[in-house]
Amino acid sequence: MRNRPATPLLDAIASPAELRGLSVGSLRQVADELRAETISAVSETGGHLGAGLGVVELTVAIHAVFDTPRDRLIWDVGHQCYPHKIITGRRDRMNTIRQGGGIAGFTKRAESEYDPFGAGHSSTSLSAALGFAMARETGQVTDLPVGDGIAVIGDGAFSAGMVYEAMNNAGHLGKRLFVILNDNDMSIAAPVGAMNKYLNSIYRGPFQDVKTMALGALDLLPSPMRDGAKRARDLVKHATIGGTLFEELGFQYIGPIDGHDMDELHETLKLAHDTATGPVLIHALTKKGKGYAPAEAAGDRYHGVTKFDIATGKQVKSKPNAPSFTKIFAETLTDLAHDDKRIIAVNAAMPDGTGLDVFDKAHPDRCFDVGIAEQHAVTFSAGLAAGGARPFCAIYSTFLQRGYDQIVHDVAVQNLPVRFAIDRAGLVGADGPTHAGSFDIAYLANLPNMVVMAPSDEAELVRMVKTAVAYDDGPIAFRYPRGEGFGADLSDCEAIEIGKARLAQKGEKIAIIAYGTVLDAVMKAAEELGFQPTIIDARFAKPLDREVMLDAAQNHDAVITIEEGAIGGFGSHVSALFAEAGVFDHGLKFRMMTLPDSFIDQDSQDKMRSKAGLDAQAIVTMVNSLV
């Protein structure tokens, strides 16, 4: 007789509360359906897939055991939150994820009460969960009383120092708190460092062999004895490994357990929930991309994907018209390093994203992935520079924020020649405000000793990489956007004189001074005007080309600066120069076009620039208002 298909259960789950009355077998079925739903949803929108597939069973088991949203469930980074969103009332909106007007690709407090803490950067979950726990302990009153704090954090995130700061504090406080280590031996790239080796030693060491043998021995017992040995089996299954680092930090350690075995997951979480009095760390072994063969076979386990065909896993890739800025940077630096052995490349767990995987293949002894540890990456680079090397510290703009004190204290104050290659500068699209590179111009250009550059196209980027290699007088930074270049000619790209701007177009009445790739929008806007304005490619936010800037002010009726960055950056420095030189005393009209004083939600990069008032049409409107 053929087995009848099980009645779908996911359709009946309107909220996590409805999971709590289900049997473990039914929870297993919900997980299977949830995995299929996740694959289907992301195939239509693109987004982060592999991480979510790896935590499907965890997601169901946590919501089935804990009283969310009263218990505060915090997903570290948020790459893995898609299944969570599906079963917390957002299933019908998954077709809008990471799109304009849709739901965010990460957890977001304003979106749902089941997202108690927003994320987009790694390694923040333990600190936030401990904060919730102590809010409960100190009797804080909210509309929704605080229950337990639960942090789900990947093994890759354990390379960040903030995790240990939180664990040290949690162990000292000794209050009830749950940390679930989602150990899949992967972050975006393969994790690196001593902690990864330590975790491997826990679940591949002698204890695991003993545990396996003990569980296997029970199966050899006669049925009556096997039934009577259940208590012993449970003791073995949930045994804790004495002497782990986590226990030394004050946590009860449980594991390792199979993060895809619903029986074991549910039993372990319930045991911890019912008995814990202090901080607990549950070590769950998972597989990124679990349950979808193309993801499991991919090198990055389908971390981030475009729309794809479910049957084949083939992704819909747009054909680039020109190489990306990331590729141009990486290939240029790699080529220059052939002749300059002092060049060393440093990244923080993003070898592919920064393009330095190319450098690593050519110069493996001079390329360092330090893990999710931007603070360390900056000071490590400072040490390299002090030791005579020419380090390039390649970090996304939004992540470099995490190393700001090190930029000030360890680099700028000591005037060390660290080269900062700042990728994903400006608006980045679907990842939204947590990943936008909005502030680097402002937070770097106000530092003494710092040189700050931005290329207007990929040829200028090549020139700036060469400029940075040759500059040994102090720290230097250059920012460039996500995405393709403009097809610029790369045949004649020499280093630039420090602080030297470029006249892109000679004109009259109004001077438009562009910093970075916004020059393209300026040139397009100029074609729609009834006259020809002067257009300047600033190249440098610091030092400014005083001669060119002051000439623009003295020989035009109005000056406009434009940058894809927050107020306080390039335009503010130009304004300060003009004020110092007294040019405003003579009636100059001056306007700054910057990102607005607000966070812009996810959308396409073009639409975000339009919302920000930094597209060609906005420039035309600004110019016409001044003519």
Side-chain angles (χ1 to χ4, degrees):
M1 181 181 293
R2 296 174 61 182
N3 292 329
R4 296 177 62 186
T7 302
L9 293 177
L10 186 60
D11 291 346
I13 305 299
S15 74
E18 294 168 28
L19 295 171
R20 291 164 203 151
L22 297 181
S23 67
V24 173
S26 294
L27 293 177
R28 196 180 305 118
Q29 180 183 334
V30 170
D32 291 341
E33 294 175 16
L34 183 58
R35 177 170 282 109
E37 181 81 9
T38 302
I39 295 169
S40 175
V42 180
S43 73
E44 296 177 3
T45 63
H48 296 108
L49 178 62
L53 296 182
V55 298
V56 168
E57 287 82 9
L58 264 175
T59 302
V60 173
I62 292 169
H63 280 296
V65 170
F66 289 89
D67 183 20
T68 56
R70 179 178 176 274
D71 292 336
R72 303 307 208 264
L73 174 57
I74 303 165
W75 298 95
D76 204 87
V77 184
H79 291 140
Q80 70 277 56
C81 71
Y82 292 18
H84 161 80
K85 292 200 174 198
I86 290 172
I87 62 171
T88 54
R90 287 165 278 184
R91 185 183 182 188
D92 62 343
R93 290 186 286 157
M94 289 300 292
N95 63 341
T96 70
I97 198 162
R98 290 163 50 90
Q99 300 173 27
I103 60 177
F106 303 97
T107 52
K108 187 175 182 179
R109 278 175 55 83
E111 191 175 286
S112 170
E113 63 179 351
Y114 290 96
D115 292 359
F117 204 81
H121 293 188
S122 161
S123 313
T124 63
S125 59
L126 270 73
S127 297
L130 180 59
F132 279 118
M134 296 314 296
R136 174 198 66 214
E137 293 294 319
T138 55
Q140 303 304 310
V141 178
T142 63
D143 292 339
L144 183 66
V146 178
D148 288 319
I150 311 147
V152 182
I153 180 170
D155 54 305
F158 263 77
S159 59
M162 187 173 176
V163 172
Y164 303 97
E165 295 174 17
M167 292 192 74
N168 178 63
N169 191 204
H172 168 70
L173 293 170
K175 303 301 182 183
R176 179 177 163 105
L177 171 72
F178 297 91
V179 176
I180 300 173
L181 171 55
N182 170 33
D183 185 355
N184 59 22
D185 204 26
M186 279 286 292
S187 50
I188 295 177
V192 297
M195 175 52 66
N196 178 247
K197 293 180 180 178
Y198 175 72
L199 293 175
N200 284 338
S201 73
I202 290 179
Y203 64 81
R204 292 176 182 167
F207 175 84
Q208 192 65 15
D209 295 336
V210 172
K211 179 179 176 181
T212 301
M213 287 188 294
L215 290 172
L218 292 176
D219 293 334
L220 301 177
L221 295 173
S223 180
M225 295 180 65
R226 192 184 312 133
D227 295 340
K230 183 177 184 299
R231 179 184 297 273
R233 183 201 66 186
D234 291 341
L235 287 174
V236 172
K237 180 182 285 189
H238 300 298
T240 63
I241 302 174
T244 65
L245 169 65
F246 307 115
E247 289 184 314
E248 296 300 324
L249 287 170
F251 279 70
Q252 178 188 0
Y253 175 90
I254 302 176
I257 64 172
D258 185 345
H260 300 297
D261 184 328
M262 186 63 74
D263 295 79
E264 187 171 10
L265 269 176
H266 189 269
E267 186 176 4
T268 302
L269 291 175
K270 192 167 190 319
L271 175 70
H273 176 274
D274 293 346
T275 63
T277 57
V280 178
L281 187 140
I282 300 168
H283 187 176
L285 305 183
T286 62
K287 187 172 184 178
K288 191 172 184 178
K290 173 72 173 177
Y292 185 52
E296 292 185 17
D300 66 350
R301 310 292 189 271
Y302 272 33
H303 174 76
V305 296
T306 60
K307 298 177 182 180
F308 62 92
D309 178 77
I310 295 178
T312 64
K314 185 176 181 180
Q315 298 183 50
V316 179
K317 296 285 189 180
S318 60
K319 294 181 179 180
N321 297 315
S324 69
F325 282 91
T326 300
K327 183 177 181 180
I328 294 295
F329 156 69
E331 290 182 346
T332 302
L333 188 66
T334 301
D335 290 343
L336 293 172
H338 287 301
D339 298 321
D340 189 340
K341 303 303 181 185
R342 295 172 61 188
I343 294 175
I344 294 177
V346 178
N347 76 92
M350 297 291 288
D352 296 345
T354 59
L356 290 183
D357 54 332
V358 174
F359 188 100
D360 184 53
K361 290 176 183 176
H363 311 289
D365 58 329
R366 287 185 280 148
C367 189
F368 298 95
D369 179 353
V370 303
I372 303 175
E374 291 82 6
Q375 294 171 310
H376 166 62
V378 172
T379 303
F380 174 55
S381 299
L384 285 168
R390 285 176 163 166
F392 277 75
C393 186
I395 300 178
Y396 290 6
S397 172
T398 185
F399 299 141
L400 189 59
Q401 295 163 183
R402 308 182 77 168
Y404 188 61
D405 182 62
Q406 287 68 34
I407 296 172
V408 177
H409 182 270
D410 299 331
V411 177
V413 169
Q414 302 187 92
N415 198 33
L416 289 169
V418 175
R419 289 88 174 155
F420 292 100
I422 306 173
D423 203 331
R424 270 50 169 196
L427 300 169
V428 296
D431 282 335
T434 60
H435 283 58
S438 305
F439 310 109
D440 58 271
I441 310 170
Y443 71 63
L444 291 177
N446 63 6
L447 296 179
N449 299 324
M450 185 72 70
V451 173
V452 184
M453 306 181 287
S456 54
D457 59 29
E458 57 269 50
E460 285 289 295
L461 176 57
V462 173
R463 295 185 180 102
M464 289 180 182
V465 174
K466 293 181 177 180
T467 302
V469 168
Y471 187 74
D472 291 318
D473 295 336
I476 188 168
F478 51 97
R479 71 182 324 242
Y480 45 98
R482 178 179 190 171
E484 302 167 7
F486 305 108
D489 181 7
L490 305 181
S491 61
D492 183 22
C493 299
E494 299 302 323
I496 304 168
E497 179 184 345
I498 297 296
K500 189 66 176 176
R502 179 178 70 91
L503 181 65
Q505 175 178 293
K506 180 68 175 175
E508 59 178 349
K509 296 182 182 179
I510 289 179
I512 306 174
I513 309 174
Y515 180 66
T517 54
V518 288
L519 178 65
D520 181 65
V522 172
M523 299 301 291
K524 290 176 180 176
E527 296 175 0
E528 300 182 28
L529 298 173
F531 67 100
Q532 181 168 296
T534 293
I535 300 175
I536 298 166
D537 178 6
R539 287 176 162 170
F540 293 85
K542 188 176 184 181
L544 291 172
D545 191 329
R546 293 176 61 92
E547 181 180 351
V548 168
M549 302 299 156
L550 292 175
D551 178 76
Q554 293 162 1
N555 293 289
H556 297 83
D557 299 328
V559 172
I560 300 170
T561 63
I562 180 168
E563 64 200 287
E564 198 169 308
I567 189 169
F570 169 70
S572 297
H573 283 259
V574 174
S575 176
L577 170 64
F578 286 177
E580 176 190 332
V583 298
F584 291 131
D585 300 345
H586 306 289
L588 176 74
K589 295 179 181 179
F590 178 73
R591 299 291 186 273
M592 285 188 291
M593 298 183 71
T594 68
L595 291 175
D597 187 26
S598 60
F599 293 104
I600 301 176
D601 285 337
Q602 73 278 354
D603 210 326
S604 69
Q605 286 175 281
D606 287 343
K607 289 181 179 179
M608 293 177 82
R609 288 173 184 134
S610 178
K611 291 177 184 177
L614 292 178
D615 61 356
Q617 186 55 54
I619 297 168
V620 169
T621 301
M622 177 63 76
V623 171
N624 287 334
S625 73
L626 293 172
V627 171

